[in-house]
Amino acid sequence: MKIVAGIDIGNATTEVALAKIYENNIEFLSSSIVKTTGIKGTMKNINGVFKSLKNSLDKSNLKIENLDEIRVNEAAPVIGDVAMETITETIITESTMIGHNPLTPGGVGVGVGETVKIDKLESVDKNKDVIVVIPKEFDFEVSSKLINLYSDKLNINGAIVKKDDGVLINNRLNKKIPIVDEVSLVEKVPLNMKCAIEVAPIGGVVEVLSNPYGIATLFNLTSEETKHVVPIARALIGNRSAVVIKTPKGDVKERKIPAGNIEIVGLNKKAFVGIDEGAKKIMNAINSVNIVCDVKGEPGTNVGGMLEKVRHVMSNLTNQHPKNIKIQDLLSVDTFVPQIVKGGIANEFSLENAVGIAAMVKADKLQMQKIADELTKSLGVNVNVGGVEADMAIRGALTTPGSNKPLAILDMGAGSTDASIITKEHEIKSIHLAGAGNMVTMLIKSELGIDDFELAEDIKKYPLAKVESLFNIRHESGAVEFFNKALDSKLFAKVVILKPEGMVPIEIDESLEKIKLIRKSAKERVFVTNAIRALKKVSPTNNVRDIAFVVLVGGSALDFEIPQLVTNALSQYNVVAGRANIRGVEGPRNAVATGLVLHLKEE
């Protein structure tokens, strides 16, 4: 006899299925669920695993010492990092930015000073901080000699060079400085202006100038001025070198950071698409590449900064080099972003066309093995990495009463949507796609112009009503409910969220109908889109119509309207879809954890 635990580390929750395996039988003892600690697939998950495991053991009056084996899912480290990329370009005034990612900048570090043309160094006051501007008529030998000559008199802290001479100049300097070269429009660099330059080491990226507070520190900006440099900092994320120059008001009329282009790298082909072409064109480009190996953003653009941020966040969490972090899927959705109207007197804003993007990092089984090894060491119990998450989920889904092979599942979580299909011969095919509950919350948050993520999450999860008087409310379905006791006067005439613990007012000036429409539309754009996309990929013929039965599992399958939206959409393909009931008791939850235990028994 063995006591085993299957543990599913998800984006939002960590679930446990505890079971006893003896002879050829399996008896499930208990289950538990807690909030996932840290980003899925990282070492911070261990705290959540401990808590969920302890809860499950306590329910069965067991202790850690009674466990014979633990199986954890082969979790894809997912950053459902979602960014809003405006289709129109971001306009920056009173600042300029140049030096977008030359291949071979010189030196390393951050330098701050006043921009001075190299042939004007002799007229500069002694001990002044200087950034040298070198036009094309000065070659590397002359430039390096002049910098060395004046370095005793001046604090030469960096250089901006027209030609590809950064390394050649740096190699000849007595004092090493950061140098950005290949600046084609060096003649446009404003002179005698405060300038900051940064060059990262080989393999690194700029950290100071890609941080709005870093720029604020170097330029002594006020909090109001710092707001204006956010687009600059964002566009510089992922660059190896950067230059930011502060110019007098009106001197630089307009600088634009474009939304940018993305490159989808497949096994046998590449696809390119601009963010300004909209979500449909982006998804067509993604779908045109059979197996996505990586997605790259154009350097110096908004989308480039967003995708590089995904890589670097996961790099820091997993101790891998950013170049080894690959984006395996991307979901884009057309949406709107509220933009403050410049010159407004009451924070007026207008809705601007934008594209919402969810990116997902490729799974790394080695990372999950590290978590398993750490758990083995801490618990004194053998912890192994089980199979692919979607494969485990389909095993769990088959415990739903009335289900049988062949069967397809949709596992709809917080960060990703997975699909898996099992044939009568027990062959399994699965897919893991970006975009799920978190992206829906982000769309609601953006389109309603609210800052509170938790409020947007509640709007997503619960139905709405309008408080028409202190004694009645009208539900979003149109039904009227009366109360014997007067409601809180603070709720009068408000749109409220009907949470189990009570009514929560939504403090925005929008009608119930509009909030409901935005909520429903966001769910359709993410879950219906991903459901059809995922099922096409696992279908033997790439046709959803060839799948007869689909079971919905995962946290988002508990939502009060997502299953109906997905079921209605799939009915157009003659697909029978419904919410799972794992082991007849768990509802749509615990599918992966249950599948891990069943897989262990199979072995």
Side-chain angles (χ1 to χ4, degrees):
M1 184 191 78
K2 290 176 72 174
I3 303 292
V4 299
I7 302 180
D8 171 23
I9 303 169
N11 289 290
T13 59
T14 297
E15 301 175 6
V16 171
L18 191 66
K20 183 195 297 182
I21 299 177
Y22 54 95
E23 296 174 357
N24 206 26
N25 298 313
I26 185 164
E27 178 187 343
F28 283 92
L29 305 174
S30 65
S31 62
S32 67
I33 178 170
V34 301
K35 191 173 181 179
T36 295
T37 51
I39 290 177
K40 174 181 175 179
T42 65
M43 285 302 217
K44 288 186 179 179
N45 298 159
I46 290 174
N47 290 336
V49 169
F50 276 133
K51 188 175 178 183
S52 190
L53 185 59
K54 187 177 185 306
N55 289 351
S56 193
L57 288 166
D58 288 346
K59 288 179 184 176
S60 303
N61 295 317
L62 294 172
K63 296 183 177 179
I64 295 286
E65 301 82 65
N66 300 124
L67 278 172
D68 294 293
E69 186 173 349
I70 296 171
R71 280 288 176 97
V72 295
N73 55 322
E74 190 178 313
V78 173
I79 301 182
D81 192 8
V82 185
M84 291 298 185
E85 303 307 329
T86 52
I87 289 175
T88 54
E89 295 176 322
T90 305
I91 298 174
I92 300 170
T93 59
E94 297 184 45
S95 295
T96 184
M97 180 187 59
I98 60 175
H100 289 292
N101 244 10
L103 295 175
T104 54
V108 170
V110 178
V112 179
E114 196 170 289
T115 52
V116 177
K117 200 172 173 184
I118 193 165
D119 57 359
K120 303 293 182 185
L121 290 174
E122 61 183 7
S123 60
V124 178
D125 294 337
K126 191 175 182 181
N127 294 326
K128 192 162 189 177
D129 293 326
V130 169
I131 299 292
V132 181
V133 179
I134 306 174
K136 66 178 180 180
E137 56 265 27
F138 292 86
D139 64 22
F140 60 89
E141 286 188 337
V142 173
S143 300
S144 55
K145 282 178 183 176
L146 286 170
I147 293 172
N148 283 332
L149 179 65
Y150 288 101
S151 59
D152 291 334
K153 176 191 170 187
L154 308 172
N155 299 320
I156 298 178
N157 296 327
I160 302 170
V161 186
K162 169 90 172 185
K163 294 199 254 182
D164 184 11
D165 287 347
V167 174
L168 295 171
I169 293 172
N170 194 62
N171 288 342
R172 290 161 173 77
L173 296 182
N174 300 327
K175 175 192 167 189
K176 303 302 180 185
I177 58 173
I179 302 171
V180 173
D181 59 3
E182 300 178 58
V183 180
S184 57
L185 297 176
V186 77
E187 63 274 7
K188 299 285 188 183
V189 175
L191 299 174
N192 306 315
M193 301 297 171
K194 191 169 184 181
C195 170
I197 183 172
E198 183 178 3
V199 175
I202 295 174
V205 292
V206 294
E207 294 182 359
V208 178
L209 294 181
S210 62
N211 174 7
Y213 298 114
I215 297 174
T217 303
L218 296 178
F219 288 94
N220 299 315
L221 302 182
T222 65
S223 59
E224 201 60 33
E225 289 171 323
T226 303
K227 290 180 184 178
H228 296 301
V229 301
V230 171
I232 297 174
R234 189 176 175 194
L236 291 171
I237 292 174
N239 281 10
R240 190 184 160 196
S241 63
V243 176
V244 174
I245 303 171
K246 184 80 169 73
T247 61
K249 194 168 186 176
D251 188 34
V252 177
K253 297 295 183 188
E254 187 177 291
R255 287 289 184 269
K256 294 183 178 181
I257 300 175
N261 300 312
I262 57 174
E263 174 188 354
I264 302 111
V265 182
L267 274 179
N268 303 312
K269 66 175 285 190
K270 291 182 180 180
F272 298 86
V273 64
I275 292 295
D276 56 2
E277 294 183 57
K280 188 174 180 181
K281 288 284 183 71
I282 294 169
M283 293 315 298
N284 286 343
I286 289 281
N287 294 332
S288 72
V289 176
N290 190 26
I291 298 175
V292 178
C293 300
D294 198 10
V295 180
K296 299 175 181 178
E298 181 184 354
T301 66
N302 284 334
V303 72
M306 178 260 172
L307 294 178
E308 284 305 317
K309 181 185 171 190
V310 169
R311 286 185 218 281
H312 285 279
V313 169
M314 187 51 79
S315 168
N316 292 334
L317 290 168
T318 60
N319 294 318
Q320 298 180 75
H321 194 281
K323 287 185 179 177
N324 297 330
I325 304 291
K326 305 296 182 186
I327 293 172
Q328 75 168 28
D329 187 52
L330 183 146
L331 174 69
S332 67
V333 175
D334 285 323
T335 183
F336 299 96
V337 177
Q339 296 289 314
I340 294 293
V341 177
K342 291 187 178 180
I345 57 174
N347 289 325
E348 296 92 347
F349 65 86
S350 61
L351 287 174
E352 182 178 334
N353 286 332
V355 174
I357 294 175
M360 187 174 68
V361 173
K362 190 173 184 179
D364 180 5
K365 188 173 180 179
L366 290 175
Q367 184 63 26
M368 284 309 299
Q369 191 59 55
K370 289 177 186 175
I371 296 173
D373 292 344
E374 186 62 33
L375 284 168
T376 299
K377 194 189 305 178
S378 304
L379 298 172
V381 180
N382 190 26
V383 181
N384 294 310
V385 180
V388 174
E389 197 166 319
D391 293 359
M392 298 303 102
I394 205 161
R395 286 174 166 84
L398 281 167
T399 65
T400 296
S403 66
N404 203 351
K405 296 178 284 188
L407 181 76
I409 64 139
L410 279 172
D411 187 352
M412 303 181 295
S416 63
T417 301
D418 306 337
S420 188
I421 191 165
I422 188 168
T423 66
K424 286 184 178 179
E425 293 74 34
H426 206 76
E427 292 175 357
I428 296 176
K429 182 181 179 183
S430 58
I431 191 73
H432 199 55
L433 300 177
N438 288 345
M439 189 174 195
V440 172
T441 304
M442 182 212 67
L443 292 173
I444 292 170
K445 181 173 175 285
S446 172
E447 292 178 19
L448 288 176
I450 55 181
D451 296 324
D452 188 344
F453 184 87
E454 293 303 321
L455 176 60
E457 186 79 1
D458 286 343
I459 292 171
K460 176 185 78 175
K461 286 182 177 179
Y462 304 106
L464 306 169
K466 179 70 180 281
V467 179
E468 295 186 328
S469 77
L470 293 180
F471 290 93
N472 82 285
I473 63 172
R474 186 174 296 274
H475 289 265
E476 62 176 62
S477 63
V480 178
E481 182 179 359
F482 292 91
F483 300 90
N484 294 323
K485 187 179 177 183
L487 300 171
D488 189 330
S489 59
K490 292 178 182 176
L491 300 176
F492 180 67
K494 296 280 179 68
V495 177
V496 294
I497 305 168
L498 300 176
K499 296 182 70 173
E501 56 267 32
M503 299 179 194
V504 177
I506 303 175
E507 303 290 351
I508 58 173
D509 189 23
E510 297 290 359
S511 67
L512 182 149
E513 289 73 21
K514 182 172 180 181
I515 298 171
K516 177 185 174 183
L517 181 66
I518 286 173
R519 182 196 69 207
K520 186 177 177 182
S521 170
K523 290 176 181 179
E524 287 176 332
R525 281 175 284 161
V526 174
F527 282 109
V528 172
T529 299
N530 258 357
I532 294 169
R533 192 163 71 108
L535 291 173
K536 275 183 181 176
K537 287 182 178 288
V538 296
S539 168
T541 59
N542 291 324
N543 191 333
V544 178
R545 292 184 184 278
D546 292 328
I547 297 174
F549 298 96
V550 174
V551 171
L552 308 178
V553 301
S556 293
L558 287 167
D559 186 271
F560 71 98
E561 65 184 346
I562 289 172
Q564 287 85 350
L565 292 174
V566 173
T567 298
N568 287 342
L570 293 179
S571 66
Q572 299 172 30
Y573 296 87
N574 294 323
V575 175
V576 178
R579 192 187 273 144
N581 189 14
I582 309 302
R583 306 200 311 272
V585 294
E586 298 287 349
R589 286 205 178 276
N590 210 258
V592 174
T594 296
L596 286 163
V597 173
L598 294 172
H599 189 230
L600 182 62
K601 183 198 166 196
E602 288 173 20
E603 291 179 350

